[in-house]
Amino acid sequence: MVTGKSIRDALLYYPEMAVTNSKGTSVNERVNKYVVMYNETPNALQLVRRREEREWREWVDSKLVVAVVPNMFRTLHQSLRCFDYTREVTTFNPLERLAVKYIGGVVMFCIGKYMKRKYQLSFDVRRDLYQCCHQWACAVASNGRFMGGENPCLADLDVYGVMRSLEGLDMFTDLMSSTQMGPWYLAMKELVQRQSGRLM
């Protein structure tokens, strides 16, 4: 990775460019935002691994997150349940807790329905999420213990971050029992808790 440079200097490697989105609107985007800059010339195998890692990181944003959001907010009850954490926020007074939970729950329920339509997900959005989990689990199995082989790569961390945000929700329990994500997730959780990611 690029070391000895300020964040401002590092951002020069990630220029903003005007691109046209799916609606035909021009937006500014960092088109190489998934590229990690290294201070070395990679060999052929490293190039393949880095490209695969970058493609999976893009997949997290374009497929996995798109499938997760409508599942989190599938029903109004599930949407409200996602905001139960506000009971533990001590900086909120009781009125703020209620407002965040009920206004946030209703808004996110609507966003979930909007995303389902926008990304043309199937009627049963859980099936789309199962397919994503199956795709990930099969790819991991072909690489070893993690997507990065015997050690996690950035794609593993990206998927873990999404899955970790679901812990405590009914859909997380469902995913762990209905897909092959469990062994990979538990291995990642153990490594993250031991802070083994610092070795990456």
Side-chain angles (χ1 to χ4, degrees):
M1 292 184 214
V2 178
T3 56
K5 296 193 180 273
S6 71
I7 297 230
R8 189 173 303 232
D9 291 337
L11 282 176
L12 295 175
Y13 294 100
Y14 300 92
E16 275 192 17
M17 300 177 72
V19 295
T20 304
N21 65 15
S22 60
K23 293 181 180 178
T25 306
S26 181
V27 294
N28 288 334
E29 188 173 310
R30 297 185 191 280
V31 292
N32 64 340
K33 63 187 170 192
Y34 298 102
V35 177
V36 177
M37 304 291 179
Y38 294 91
N39 250 351
E40 64 187 30
T41 304
N43 62 37
L45 180 59
Q46 288 172 323
L47 278 175
V48 169
R49 296 298 296 186
R50 289 177 187 175
R51 184 178 63 244
E52 180 183 34
E53 177 182 283
R54 184 173 59 247
E55 288 169 357
W56 279 107
R57 291 179 64 221
E58 290 178 31
W59 174 87
V60 170
D61 288 345
S62 65
K63 300 290 184 194
L64 182 61
V65 171
V66 166
V68 163
V69 171
N71 273 280
M72 287 178 71
F73 309 110
R74 212 163 40 154
T75 66
L76 191 53
H77 173 74
Q78 289 172 327
S79 297
L80 295 174
R81 177 119 163 58
C82 289
F83 286 87
D84 280 348
Y85 76 91
T86 58
R87 288 183 291 195
E88 300 165 12
V89 179
T90 57
T91 57
F92 288 172
N93 66 42
L95 183 59
E96 289 170 326
R97 285 187 188 114
L98 285 173
V100 168
K101 179 174 180 168
Y102 288 98
I103 294 172
V106 169
V107 168
M108 292 310 295
F109 173 72
C110 294
I111 288 173
K113 298 300 178 201
Y114 168 77
M115 286 187 71
K116 179 180 173 180
R117 279 192 316 275
K118 178 180 179 179
Y119 294 101
Q120 300 174 352
L121 299 177
S122 60
F123 178 76
D124 180 8
V125 291
R126 191 58 57 97
R127 189 176 72 206
D128 295 319
L129 185 55
Y130 286 163
Q131 287 173 346
C132 284
C133 291
H134 178 72
Q135 186 180 2
W136 174 257
C138 288
V140 167
S142 69
N143 282 317
R145 190 171 172 211
F146 302 104
M147 183 62 75
E150 287 309 304
N151 295 305
C153 65
L154 291 176
D156 286 294
L157 288 174
D158 283 358
V159 174
Y160 175 76
V162 172
M163 298 303 291
R164 176 70 177 95
S165 70
L166 305 177
E167 261 194 67
L169 300 178
D170 295 337
M171 71 178 278
F172 178 81
T173 307
D174 179 39
L175 286 176
M176 291 299 107
S177 63
S178 302
T179 70
Q180 307 87 8
M181 295 290 281
W184 168 85
Y185 181 80
L186 294 174
M188 278 298 296
K189 186 172 185 176
E190 179 185 342
L191 285 176
V192 169
Q193 287 176 337
R194 285 192 332 217
Q195 298 180 341
S196 296
R198 68 179 182 274
L199 303 174
M200 292 176 40

